[in-house]
Amino acid sequence: MKTTTAAPVTKSMNVRNAVPPRSHTFLEIHLSMTGIMTQELSANRYKAFIAKNNKLSATSCADDDKNTFPFCSVSEGTGMQTNVSTMTDRSEQDRYMAGIQERRKQQLKNYCLVHNDQKLPWEVKRQLEQFLIDDDNKFIYCAVPKVGSTPMRMTMLRLRNDSNLKLTESSVHSPTFWRRLSDDEFNARELSKRLSTHFKFLLVRDPFHRLLSGYKDKFFGKNRRYSNRFRQMIVKALRPQDEEKVATDTNNVTFTEFLTYLLSDGNPMIRDGHWKQVENLCFPCAFDFDFIGHFETLQEDADYLLSKAGFNDRVEFPVVRTSQVSRDFLMYYSEVPPEIILKLGEAFRSDFEIFGYAFPGPLKSIIKDYLSDRAGDRAQLID
């Protein structure tokens, strides 16, 4: 990975959770599970509850069988255990994909029963701008950035069969193409008219991968200019002595600095949809989605989505190139301090739990020693 010229962080910041505070942090739950602290919340009890209601085995977190980590989501995981493309019978494929959908929706339902009494924020309508509405084709799509939204938008626009539409990777994001739930014409009554007639769906992604994808695209990629203001704010906050050196055509903010600033109090960057929690973009506990797709199985999920919505005889989802984020994932996160990774896990905890992504997942090796050391320090203090 090409290194940047960013200097070490020299200004301390007040780091917080980017979501409403919970009564227990990941580290507190971990210490409780190791017998060092007594907490009312039991991560094992939550795992057992989900497993019972989801009819899944509590050993879905088998890689965490010694309770090394603060929590581990119980679900089918980020991928599919069976390669759908090897199934020759279409009805067999549909049954398998239907089962996946049932488990994902049950995972969401279980979370919402325990944690959340969420409502759509009609009083702040701009928060509903990710909901794209097409009354002619009868669908509502909550378009989460960095989760295959570009090819999905293009696919759904092709349903209009309009030769005058000039569709490119950038134009499909144009507001002129879409009606949004945040528009003045929509309110709770107008939405209720569509809930029973429109196909409602969203696509989600592992939070750690989504954050890295947003950073690489907006800070390094061809969309670098998008982050000009953010990079200036980050450097001013973390390295004020370098503020005058901020360039708008190159990146000078490290991944660690990006994450540190994202977790800081009062920063405007957290409101940006490219790294905002899906829970606060699509309000899944307040909106009854018909379909939940995962980026990790995007091709199979998109094909089944089009079939389930009745669009598969009109459009096809394009073959999507493999994301380079997975290839560089550990290389980037290995440079991030473990305490930042834990705070990220807490900030995006709802997304991990709602959509069945395991924490710490592939970052297990990076934070394992850190958690063990912290547990040891706590035990010495108690002694």
Side-chain angles (χ1 to χ4, degrees), residues 314-333:
R314 299 165 57 193
V315 292
E316 290 184 358
F317 191 76
V319 176
V320 180
R321 62 181 181 272
T322 303
S323 172
Q324 293 185 351
V325 169
S326 296
R327 183 192 65 188
D328 300 334
F329 183 78
L330 288 179
M331 182 169 60
Y332 274 90
Y333 274 100

Side-chain angles (χ1 to χ4, degrees), residues 22 46 49-55 102-118 279 283-287 350 353-354:
R22 297 173 184 268
Y46 175 69
F49 172 85
I50 295 297
K52 178 181 178 181
N53 288 275
N54 225 4
K55 295 182 175 60
E102 185 60 31
R103 289 196 290 274
R104 289 175 182 173
K105 287 189 280 189
Q106 188 65 50
Q107 176 95 10
L108 167 61
K109 180 180 179 181
N110 291 340
Y111 174 88
C112 296
L113 285 173
V114 175
H115 293 289
N116 208 313
D117 184 22
Q118 193 178 55
E279 181 187 34
F283 307 95
C285 286
F287 197 87
S350 57
E353 295 185 2
I354 290 172

Side-chain angles (χ1 to χ4, degrees), residues 50 54 56-57 60 73-82 96-97 99-107 204 292-294 296-297 301 354-358:
I50 295 297
N54 225 4
L56 294 173
S57 169
S60 295
S73 298
V74 180
S75 78
E76 88 277 1
T78 59
M80 296 182 180
Q81 296 177 348
T82 303
Y96 178 77
M97 296 300 294
I100 292 290
Q101 282 301 306
E102 185 60 31
R103 289 196 290 274
R104 289 175 182 173
K105 287 189 280 189
Q106 188 65 50
Q107 176 95 10
V204 299
I292 302 172
H294 280 206
E296 293 76 13
T297 51
D301 283 359
I354 290 172
F355 302 113
Y357 289 104

Side-chain angles (χ1 to χ4, degrees), residues 203-247:
L203 305 175
V204 299
R205 187 177 189 176
D206 170 81
F208 286 140
H209 280 81
R210 181 170 166 249
L211 285 171
L212 179 56
S213 178
Y215 170 75
K216 291 186 66 177
D217 180 38
K218 302 306 181 185
F219 284 74
F220 271 105
K222 60 185 179 182
N223 296 315
R224 186 183 297 122
R225 290 185 179 180
Y226 182 91
S227 64
N228 283 351
R229 183 170 63 94
F230 292 136
R231 283 186 281 112
Q232 290 172 343
M233 289 189 297
I234 292 172
V235 171
K236 182 178 181 179
L238 300 178
R239 292 183 278 111
Q241 73 278 8
D242 295 334
E243 185 177 356
E244 294 183 0
K245 301 178 183 179
V246 174

Side-chain angles (χ1 to χ4, degrees), residues 59-89:
T59 59
S60 295
C61 298
D63 62 337
D64 194 22
D65 59 347
K66 295 182 180 179
N67 289 334
T68 307
F69 298 105
F71 92 89
C72 180
S73 298
V74 180
S75 78
E76 88 277 1
T78 59
M80 296 182 180
Q81 296 177 348
T82 303
N83 188 346
V84 178
S85 63
T86 63
M87 298 180 182
T88 56
D89 183 77

